[in-house]
Amino acid sequence: MRAIVHENLDGIEGLKVKEVHEPGLKQNEVKVLVKTAGMNRRDVAVVEKRHKGEDPALIPGSDASGIVVETGDQVTRFTIGDEVVINPGLGWIENSEAPPRGFEIVGLPDDGTFAEYYACSEEHLETKPEHLNFEEAGVLSLAALTAYRALFTRGKLQKDQTVMLPGIGSGVLIFALKFAKAIGARVVVTSRSGTKREKALELGADVAIETNSDWKESLSGESIDLLLESIGEATFQKSLEVIRKGGTIVTFGATTNDEVKINIREFFYGQYNLLGSTMGSAEEFKAMLHFITQHNIKPELDRTFTLDQHIEAFEYVRNSRNFGKIGFLINE
């Protein structure tokens, strides 16, 4: 089968398309013919942090949709021909405060979805929502699950609250925007890009401000109940300044420096909540799929690439050119 493989050279330059063996199948596993494989910023981070002199060849990729083409003897949930989506979280089945020991994400350390076939245990597959085509379903899972847990499990967003999404444009934040509007919450977004601010308003955002502006001034004193922080050092202090006393920041990433400084006295006097969040359990994955079906929510699909356009795709995401999700069309 053809696959995007990372080996020999550091960074994006180490990617190439080559013929590799199809994955084998254990008794509890399902083999999926991949139709579309979604790309995430994590995929860029994976190939940029590996050292090819030490690490074995790897097929990256965490998201995919496709058709079941083979099942192991012990598989009971799926049959050949079923249309499915892959849960990118491995080893986290039941809801819990944090991932259990052994939790991993598809695409590192084991091979991922940027290939013509992918195999996994049946408990890490779900039926494709009927209202989504393969392209939409293939770019859904990681970003939508991350947004769902950050907003609802960790952030406990309610319909009468205001949520702020700094740096709108990523797949996670656009899902968060759509999820929040689906329950009737007020949404504030920021972006350095005027085009992205306009697109966010078209999707239902109530307020869109420039990321480099004075947020307190731009919001005219409006306080924020919940803020999803994924930028890190560059915006963290500004985030604290606009959260209402007793409000919550949920962080799930850092596109700028990981380390931040806070005035701890101001923090505890403000009674703020700072919560971490990562992906979600299989139970949350099922709940998220039910939620998007109930509210007829679809991913914002920016564009698609072929496997042979892999370098262009990785550079596109690395340079944050996307508004929403991108994917690889593998078996059309």
Side-chain angles (χ1 to χ4, degrees):
M1 68 174 184
R2 297 181 79 228
I4 298 173
V5 179
H6 191 238
E7 61 182 355
N8 299 327
L9 297 174
D10 288 351
I12 291 177
E13 292 72 19
L15 292 165
K16 62 181 177 181
V17 177
K18 60 185 296 186
E19 289 286 338
V20 299
H21 293 295
E22 288 186 22
L25 207 61
K26 298 178 182 178
Q27 289 184 317
N28 68 331
E29 289 187 334
V30 175
K31 183 183 288 188
V32 177
L33 174 77
V34 176
K35 299 289 286 184
T36 301
M39 188 175 177
N40 297 281
R41 184 171 289 276
R42 177 182 187 269
D43 302 315
V44 178
V46 164
V47 303
E48 290 187 335
K49 292 179 180 179
R50 298 177 78 242
H51 300 290
K52 271 45 67 192
E54 307 166 7
D55 298 330
L58 175 76
I59 300 172
S62 302
D63 287 339
S65 65
I67 300 172
V68 173
V69 292
E70 187 177 352
T71 62
D73 294 339
Q74 296 179 1
V75 172
T76 59
R77 295 180 58 218
F78 299 98
T79 59
I80 293 174
D82 286 348
E83 298 180 353
V84 295
V85 292
I86 292 166
N87 177 358
L90 301 176
W92 189 0
I93 304 301
E94 298 177 349
N95 289 341
S96 58
E97 292 183 346
R101 185 184 299 273
F103 170 70
E104 294 178 354
I105 300 175
V106 173
L108 184 76
D110 298 324
D111 285 338
T113 59
F114 293 169
E116 291 181 316
Y117 295 93
Y118 177 75
C120 66
S121 66
E122 64 175 335
E123 65 184 4
H124 289 104
L125 285 178
E126 296 296 335
T127 300
K128 179 179 75 65
E130 291 185 0
H131 74 291
L132 302 180
N133 60 34
F134 281 114
E135 291 180 24
E136 293 164 338
V139 303
L140 171 80
S141 298
L142 188 148
L145 177 58
T146 300
Y148 186 87
R149 178 175 173 83
L151 271 186
F152 300 126
T153 305
R154 301 293 280 158
K156 302 188 185 306
L157 181 68
Q158 303 297 314
K159 65 180 182 179
D160 59 346
Q161 293 184 322
T162 298
V163 61
M164 187 166 181
L165 309 173
I168 194 71
S170 72
V172 176
L173 292 184
I174 292 176
F175 277 120
L177 165 59
K178 292 187 175 187
F179 291 174
K181 294 309 298 182
I183 68 166
R186 180 174 171 83
V187 179
V188 177
V189 304
T190 85
S191 176
R192 293 176 297 174
S193 165
T195 299
K196 290 184 178 181
R197 294 195 300 271
E198 290 177 6
K199 288 182 178 180
L201 291 170
E202 291 172 0
L203 291 179
D206 297 280
V207 179
I209 63 178
E210 218 282 347
T211 300
N212 294 327
S213 69
D214 183 325
W215 293 1
K216 292 178 68 175
E217 181 179 336
S218 297
L219 290 172
S220 301
E222 179 179 7
S223 61
I224 304 298
D225 298 294
L226 172 65
L227 187 146
L228 300 193
E229 171 58 65
S230 61
I231 298 176
E233 183 188 39
T235 58
F236 193 82
Q237 184 57 42
K238 297 170 78 168
S239 296
L240 280 177
E241 292 173 354
V242 296
I243 285 287
R244 67 166 173 81
K245 291 186 183 300
T248 300
I249 294 177
V250 176
T251 177
F252 61 87
T255 55
T256 59
N257 292 338
D258 294 349
E259 296 184 3
V260 300
K261 293 181 179 180
I262 63 172
N263 184 315
I264 195 64
R265 191 172 300 276
E266 290 182 359
F267 187 84
F268 64 69
Y269 273 126
Q271 306 288 305
Y272 301 116
N273 305 294
L274 177 60
L275 304 175
S277 189
T278 302
M279 295 278 287
S281 66
E283 288 186 352
E284 287 167 307
F285 187 66
K286 293 177 184 178
M288 178 273 294
L289 292 177
H290 175 76
F291 183 87
I292 67 168
T293 299
Q294 178 184 10
H295 295 283
N296 196 35
I297 294 172
K298 297 184 177 183
E300 196 68 17
L301 185 60
D302 184 288
R303 63 174 295 188
T304 56
F305 297 84
T306 66
L307 288 181
D308 293 322
Q309 294 173 310
H310 56 281
I311 297 296
E312 181 182 355
F314 271 77
E315 290 178 342
Y316 192 79
V317 173
R318 181 178 62 183
N319 296 329
S320 299
R321 294 173 58 192
N322 57 301
F323 184 84
K325 299 295 299 179
I326 74 166
F328 290 104
L329 300 182
I330 298 181
N331 288 290
E332 297 186 60

